[in-house]
Structure formats: C-alpha cells, structure tokens
Amino acid sequence: MSAVIRGFKNVLAKKLRTTGVVMIVGFSLAVFLTMTIVNANISQNVRNVSQNLEKTVTIRPAGSFGGFGSTTAMNESVVPIIQSAEHVVAVQKIIQHNLVNNTGGDQGGFPSGFGGPPESGGPRVFNSRQMPTILEGLDPTQELVLFGGGTVTITSGRTMNSFDSQSNVAIVGASYTKEDGTSVNLNDIISINQTDVTVTVIGIYTTGTRFGDRSILMPYETVKKILNVSGPNIIYATVDYAGNIDSVVSALNATLGADYDVVSASSQGASLQNSITQIANNSQIGSYAALMTGGAILFFIMAVITRERIREIGVLKAIGFKNSKIIAQFLTESITLATFGFIVGVVVALVGGGTISEILLGQSTTSGSSGGFVVSRGGESGGMPSGGRQFGGGFLANINYSLTPEILIYAFLAAVLLGVLGALYPIMKAMKLKPAEALRYE
Amino acid sequence: MSDAKVVKQPVQPKPAGPPGSDKNDSRDIIAIEKLSKVFEKKGDKVRALSEICLSIKRGDYIALQGPSGSGKTTLLNILGCLDRPTSGKVTIEGTDVSTMNEKELAKLRSNKIGFIFQSFNLIPIFNAIENVELPMVNTKVPKNERKKRARELLNLVGLSERVRHTPYELSAGEQQRVAIARALANKPLVILADEPTGNLDSKTGERIMNLLGELNKMGTTVVVVTHDDKMARLTKKTIRMEDGKISKTTGTFQIPICDIKNQR
C-alpha cells in the first residue's frame, strides 16, 4: 500500500468531489487545448498567408487601391504582357463587384443598379440588402479566389469546370440565403437585376465564415456579359520565388506604366499578417489564462482538501509516516485529479473545440477589436483589402481540431504541472505542523 | 489504590532492552527529566508542563489523570515524540530524543510507539485490516506478513469478523478496537492512549480498558490519559496532574530526585 496507491484510493473514494474537480479542471484544459490548437492553426495560416502574399503581385487600375475593387476595367491585353514578364508563373484575371449600395449612377466602366424588386413569374432576381454581396468573375480552370477569403467547399451541386468558361452558371455562397432570407437552391435560375442574362445555380458553397460566403461566383466571361465590361478589375500574378517579387513589381510598373497600380501583396498584406498574428497571440494568452484558471481552481480545491485532512496527516505522522511519503500521497491525489481532468479536457476539446473557439474568439472578432476579421469586415464598408488572396475570414473555419502528439504532451505536462502546483503549497504548509498540532487541528 | 511509594533514585538511562513485551525486564523505557513545555499564542505564554520528572518501566500500566488543562495530553504527546519539550530531557530506551530530527522521530514513532486516540482517527477510506496494516507499511514488513499480522491483531481484539469493514461500518467500540490493533501493529515498546474511552459509553469503555489491561498482562506497556476514575482504577498506577505538575501518584514509582518536591 504505497503512497501512490493510497493517493489513488483517496481520489476514487470521493466520487462526487472527484467528478466536480475533474470537470472543472477538464474544462480549463479543454479551453487550453482548444486555444493551443487554434494558435497552432492560425500560426500555420499566418505562414501560409505569408507564403501566398510573398509570391503574389496585384495589378489594378491606377488609384483603385484602398477602395472596394475598381470601377474601371483593365484592358485584357495586359494579361499576356504580365504573363510574359520574367519570373511570373501564373496570371489570374478577376472581376470583383460589390452589389451593395449600387443604387447610384454609373461608376465608370461598371454599371450600377443591382438592387431592385424581384420579378414575378420570371427568374429570381438578386437583391442585395444590408450585407455586401460580391459578384465575382473567375477563371473556372483556376483556383476560386474569394473576396471574403477562405477555401471554397461545395455543399451541394458542383464546382465550375473548364467547360463552364462560356456558360451562364453560378455558385452561390451559403450565407447569402441565410442572411437575406432568399431561398436559393440548386438549379435555380437567377438574374442579376436589370440584366437579361439568366444564370443557373450549379452549386452552393461555403467557406465556414459568414463573410466568405457572401459571393456569387461565375465564370469570368459570364460576369463580363452581365456587367458589360471589357476586362478585369484585378489581376493576380504569381511569381516563381518570393525573393523575385520586388524585381517583378518594378518590371511590371515599368512595362504597364502609370495607368496601373502594381503592388506586391506582401507589403499590402503586412497589416493583415499583423492582425492575424494578433489573433494568434490572443489565443495564446487565452490558453495560458485557461491554464492558470485551472491551476488556481485546483490549488484552492487542494488547499481545502488538505485543510480538511490535517488530522489525517497528524495520524499518519503519529504512526511514523515520513513527510516525504505523505507529500507523495497528496501529490498523487492531485496529479490523478489533474490527469483525469486532462482526459476529460482532451475529449471536450475534440468534441467541442469548434464551439469553444467560436465562443471565445468568434465574438471578439465580430466586435471588431482586432485581427484579420476586421480586415475582412472592412469590405462591408467598401474597403477592399489589397492583394486579397485567401485572407480575411476563414481562419477559425479552416481549423482542424485534431490533437497532435506534441499538443497532447504539452497538455499532459500542463495537467501534471497543475497537479503538482495545486498540491504542493497546501501540503507543504500542512507538513510544517508538528504531529501534535495536526492532531489538534479543527 | 495506595499512595505512591517514592523511591529516591536519579535518572540513569539504561541500555535499551528488546522492543515489545519482555515482562521480566523492569528497566526504564521512557525517562523524563525536568521536562517543561511552554506554549506561545499571540504573545501570551502558557506553561503547560513545569519541570516534570518521571520514568516509565517496561510492563507499566499507568493512568494519567487530572482536570482539563493540567498538562496530561501535552505530557503524553511529548512522551510519544509528537511534540518537543521547551526544556528538559526525554530518553527512550536510553536514547535522548530531544536532539533527534523529524525523520528520526518519525522512525522512532513507527518502531517503538503505538498511539490510541479519543476519536479513533482511523483512515476512513481504508477498511479495518488496511488500517491495521498501515503502520507496517513504514517498517517495510512484507505484504503477506503484514496481512497475516493485521489479521492476528484484529483477531486479538475480537474483530476477526470485521476485517473488511470500513470505519463507517463499525461501531465506536469496534473502531477503537481497530485503533488498538493498529497501535500494536509494529510491536511497540509502549502504547500511549489519549482518552481512549472518551467517546465511548461506560460499558464499552470498560471493555476497552480491560482489553488494554489484557495487553498489559501480555507484557505491553500502556500509558492512558483518562478523566474517569473508574477507568483509572483498572490500571496498575496513576499519576495525577495539576497545573502542569505531578500532584499525586499511586502505585510504585521510581521517581527521579528532581521531582520529589513535586510529589509531596
């Protein structure tokens, strides 16, 4: 009957107390684990964004940076020029157009007036309301780049393919229907207000974020027809190596002249990275706060447990137990509680990690305090972040709530640390009592 | 009971005899000399024991009596190395324990002293046999022997049918008998019992005192703190304490010179 067995027996003997402590410690560890996972994922996302940004050059009509997209179409003839630039490995031409508040007059090359009442009996007419809806014309053969960021996942129907290049088809974001109460289903025929072009919905997509799901994606050529524009308002050029980005920017600036703004995404995205890093830091702080909370709870519980068992400590001393053996027993109890808490924490983190992170980080992001979410929400007020590839929302949505051995080891060590720290001070204090004092203790 | 027969004899620590119960060995097993204990609480000093001298011989069955606050429990705690004296000397089997550190005292308690408490102080999560085994864990008695001895001791105190019962499943008298078995586990030199009948009805209390008497007849040295004269009469010797001093003794004591004036 070693100190360890006595410790185990004590933990198992008091089921109600053990359950309560394990639940509290478990939840703290679950928050710690979740925040650690979020942190690891966000950090990875930051690295991914950095890599993407570092290799991307954005070309827009001059003067359009800082506002949403551009109301001026670029000439398509610049695409092969950009394509032929040294170190450029891919070029993507995109039309992005905000359907919100377009009730004013004609804005350059892009028409206004996408809002309006639904037509009875005809195809469904998209009527953008409070939230921005982004009409995006993309090359179906290339990666689907969203204004709101995130990765496109088709929830029903199919994505666009190369054979859709000239077709009147669309993929609609899931949150448009949720937010506006407009029921858009697969195979619905829709039209953009005041145009004769009707489009068939071939897919519904989600990115997992409200803002990322606010786009209507169509083939580039289809959007050209709908908007009656001659070319894209954004062109992304991908360079072969991040170290060549500055030379590509210089070369394109020289080649394209003053009518175009050529900017490396890395410089434009620096603030975005800072914001995302801020979220990562917040989640890190959150994880430590959760750990400290768990530690504090365990400390106070162990203090109470130790205090109420000081007479028992006195008895053990009286019958000859050395302090080291009594300390070992209480440490075992505390570490056992923390270990059970760790198991509960792992289960809770795996099952409810998404919910926890949404509660802890989701609300703070919508409050607009910091982070990449603010950047993405900036689009609502008309601010289109430059160099916008795969950024903005989606950082929580893309998180994979799986526990790596490294995170599990961290969490287990954290649990053991909590257990040791929780028990050590109260038990050491109790150890200072003489056996006679401990036996007299009320 | 007759008054104390005082024999003037200075404290002479003698060679340690074998632990446990040698009825024919009448050497001092515990000797105290000019023992004082002062408690300090919030600046106030309370003298609990004042220059007491006493020797306990192998095979003694002594009752420590006196009103509350007279110093009986303090004396018992010091005899059992649960507390340290403010001044004076305590020798157990000729070894001065005043200079021992906590680790050495723990070992001494484990090997030579058995405690019985008023409120039994059994470990609630352990059953009777596990409680009795507990002191033997310290002395590294092999598991099988531990179990065997614990069973024998529970049999000795009449609880052979209750070995698997937890303290909550035992009556007060049964719990105290488990505590007595636990006190005997390591074959101690002396059993120190602090009000062992205090939480028991008189009939059960008498049974416990008789059990301690039986153990004494088998050679175990027993010192009992009790308020109850009836219980005290079941012992061989009594020491009456008042205001931290020995005021009266009955039975034969070899009282050290230093304490003679206290006895008269």
Side-chain angles (χ1 to χ4, degrees):
Chain A
M1 207 180 337
S2 65
V4 173
I5 293 171
R6 289 200 306 276
F8 272 128
K9 276 195 110 168
N10 264 312
V11 169
L12 298 176
K14 298 184 176 171
K15 292 180 181 67
L16 189 65
R17 184 196 74 187
T18 298
T19 307
V21 176
V22 164
M23 287 300 154
I24 293 168
V25 174
F27 187 74
S28 298
L29 281 169
V31 174
F32 169 72
L33 277 168
T34 303
M35 291 296 99
T36 306
I37 296 167
V38 167
N39 184 264
N41 278 262
I42 290 176
S43 299
Q44 184 57 49
N45 279 347
V46 169
R47 285 193 290 277
N48 292 343
V49 166
S50 299
Q51 282 167 6
N52 280 336
L53 292 178
E54 281 166 10
K55 292 168 75 174
T56 304
V57 174
T58 306
I59 300 104
R60 289 174 181 258
S64 61
F65 281 108
F68 172 79
S70 167
T71 55
T72 308
M74 291 182 281
N75 195 320
E76 283 186 337
S77 61
V78 298
V79 174
I81 297 170
I82 296 166
Q83 182 79 68
S84 62
E86 198 176 5
H87 300 302
V88 171
V89 292
V91 175
Q92 189 171 17
K93 54 189 181 185
I94 294 172
I95 301 170
Q96 280 181 346
H97 193 69
N98 189 0
L99 297 181
V100 78
N101 297 329
N102 274 327
T103 52
D106 194 335
Q107 300 172 39
F110 283 80
S112 61
F114 286 91
E119 295 171 1
S120 57
R124 173 134 330 117
V125 175
F126 263 81
N127 180 16
S128 186
R129 296 176 191 173
Q130 297 305 312
M131 289 284 286
T133 299
I134 315 301
L135 178 63
E136 297 194 53
L138 306 160
D139 182 347
T141 62
Q142 290 187 307
E143 182 187 2
L144 299 179
V145 178
L146 290 177
F147 169 76
T151 304
V152 171
T153 303
I154 301 294
T155 55
S156 61
R158 64 175 179 83
T159 187
M160 293 187 289
N161 292 308
S162 54
F163 55 80
D164 292 316
S165 293
Q166 303 293 325
S167 307
N168 290 353
V169 293
I171 303 172
V172 179
S175 85
Y176 186 88
T177 60
K178 288 179 202 161
E179 302 284 338
D180 294 60
T182 312
S183 174
V184 176
N185 298 309
L186 204 59
N187 300 323
D188 275 1
I189 296 170
I190 61 172
S191 76
I192 302 301
N193 191 27
Q194 297 178 7
T195 66
D196 295 331
V197 182
T198 57
V199 179
T200 304
V201 176
I202 60 165
I204 307 291
Y205 80 88
T206 184
T207 60
T209 63
R210 203 171 59 157
F211 196 68
D213 291 356
R214 294 293 303 179
S215 289
I216 302 167
L217 311 179
M218 294 183 194
Y220 171 79
E221 294 299 333
T222 310
V223 176
K224 261 177 76 180
K225 275 190 285 180
I226 291 171
L227 299 180
N228 193 25
V229 293
S230 57
N233 56 356
I234 301 172
I235 297 172
Y236 293 125
T238 307
V239 301
D240 53 359
Y241 170 61
N244 294 326
I245 199 103
D246 290 339
S247 65
V248 171
V249 170
S250 301
L252 288 178
N253 265 324
T255 309
L256 299 176
D259 289 341
Y260 298 90
D261 284 337
V262 181
V263 179
S264 71
S266 57
S267 61
Q268 293 295 310
S271 64
L272 169 67
Q273 287 182 55
N274 289 340
S275 300
I276 299 169
T277 305
Q278 185 63 47
I279 292 184
N281 292 340
N282 289 348
S283 63
Q284 191 76 64
I285 292 165
S287 69
Y288 292 143
L291 197 62
M292 282 164 64
T293 306
I297 291 165
L298 196 62
F299 174 84
F300 285 115
I301 288 168
M302 281 313 294
V304 171
I305 288 172
T306 309
R307 199 181 160 90
E308 73 184 17
R309 285 169 56 196
I310 281 180
R311 276 175 76 95
E312 183 184 324
I313 291 170
V315 173
L316 292 173
K317 284 185 166 201
I319 61 178
F321 275 84
K322 288 176 195 154
N323 283 353
S324 57
K325 287 191 174 177
I326 300 172
I327 291 169
Q329 178 188 326
F330 276 79
L331 278 181
T332 302
E333 283 187 51
S334 186
I335 291 170
T336 305
L337 286 171
T339 304
F340 286 163
F342 162 75
I343 294 164
V344 169
V346 168
V347 173
V348 172
L350 284 174
V351 174
T355 309
I356 293 170
S357 61
E358 201 173 305
I359 291 167
L360 295 179
L361 290 176
Q363 286 179 355
S364 67
T365 54
T366 52
S367 69
S369 58
S370 64
F373 296 88
V374 171
V375 176
S376 67
R377 288 176 69 86
E380 286 183 26
S381 57
M384 164 73 180
S386 315
R389 301 193 69 176
Q390 302 275 346
F391 63 85
F395 285 99
L396 290 181
N398 294 335
I399 284 169
N400 174 21
Y401 288 95
S402 62
L403 294 165
T404 61
E406 195 183 28
I407 290 176
L408 281 174
I409 289 167
Y410 278 146
F412 182 71
L413 290 177
V416 170
L417 190 71
L418 287 188
V420 171
L421 292 180
L424 213 53
Y425 177 73
I427 189 67
M428 291 307 284
K429 209 173 167 194
M431 283 299 108
K432 283 184 182 165
L433 294 173
K434 290 176 194 154
E437 290 169 334
L439 284 165
R440 274 201 301 268
Y441 198 87
E442 294 294 339
Chain B
M1 290 200 187
S2 62
D3 284 339
K5 201 189 274 180
V6 176
V7 180
K8 292 178 186 178
Q9 185 181 319
V11 174
Q12 287 286 328
K14 291 176 182 171
S21 51
D22 183 352
K23 284 202 278 184
N24 300 319
D25 185 351
S26 61
R27 283 175 293 185
D28 288 350
I29 52 173
I30 304 178
I32 56 177
E33 198 178 344
K34 290 190 172 181
L35 185 80
S36 294
K37 177 72 182 177
V38 178
F39 290 107
E40 265 194 78
K41 207 168 187 182
K42 293 175 185 170
D44 292 338
K45 287 187 176 176
V46 178
R47 184 170 282 273
L49 295 175
S50 186
E51 297 200 334
I52 287 182
C53 294
L54 178 70
S55 63
I56 296 169
K57 299 212 167 290
R58 197 173 299 280
D60 272 350
Y61 187 13
I62 301 171
L64 267 176
Q65 284 196 284
S68 289
S70 59
K72 351 180 253 301
T73 297
T74 305
L75 177 60
L76 197 79
N77 285 340
I78 292 173
L79 289 175
C81 304
L82 296 177
D83 207 350
R84 288 177 186 274
T86 309
S87 63
K89 191 175 172 186
V90 181
T91 52
I92 296 179
E93 285 197 312
T95 307
D96 185 358
V97 299
S98 322
T99 54
M100 284 185 173
N101 62 28
E102 281 303 316
K103 212 171 172 178
E104 290 167 333
L105 287 176
K107 193 175 176 186
L108 184 91
R109 285 195 296 269
S110 181
N111 289 321
K112 303 206 179 221
I113 298 161
F115 289 96
I116 301 168
F117 305 99
Q118 181 177 359
S119 50
F120 327 130
N121 283 339
L122 299 177
I123 306 297
I125 61 156
F126 294 148
N127 60 32
I129 195 165
E130 286 168 336
N131 267 288
V132 178
E133 276 182 66
L134 209 52
M136 291 185 267
V137 173
N138 272 326
T139 47
K140 297 189 171 64
V141 177
K143 193 177 176 183
N144 286 345
E145 199 187 325
R146 221 161 63 198
K147 292 241 175 259
K148 187 174 164 237
R149 203 191 293 177
R151 217 171 263 280
E152 283 169 3
L153 289 168
L154 285 170
N155 194 33
L156 180 73
V157 298
L159 288 175
S160 54
E161 305 298 315
R162 299 272 201 223
V163 289
R164 299 282 166 206
H165 288 63
T166 60
Y168 296 119
E169 296 163 342
L170 297 171
S171 70
E174 286 170 334
Q175 285 186 57
Q176 196 58 297
R177 280 192 277 163
V178 174
I180 291 170
R182 182 179 67 185
L184 290 168
N186 282 330
K187 300 176 185 169
L189 201 61
V190 59
I191 285 184
L192 303 175
D194 190 2
E195 305 262 14
T197 60
N199 281 2
L200 304 174
D201 61 74
S202 58
K203 213 167 186 177
T204 312
E206 204 172 318
R207 270 191 217 130
I208 292 296
M209 288 302 284
N210 285 333
L211 176 60
L212 291 174
E214 288 300 312
L215 294 171
N216 176 251
K217 279 177 193 164
M218 291 159 73
T220 309
T221 309
V222 182
V223 179
V224 184
V225 167
T226 181
H227 274 110
D228 195 331
D229 288 342
K230 197 177 160 192
M231 301 298 171
R233 277 197 290 272
L234 297 170
T235 63
K236 289 179 187 170
K237 302 175 182 179
T238 59
I239 297 171
R240 188 148 193 97
M241 294 189 68
E242 268 169 39
D243 298 328
K245 294 174 181 172
I246 294 172
S247 61
K248 189 181 177 187
T249 60
T250 57
T252 305
F253 279 92
Q254 290 181 323
I255 306 298
I257 292 169
C258 73
D259 215 27
I260 294 301
K261 60 178 181 291
N262 283 336
Q263 314 305 313
R264 292 184 186 272

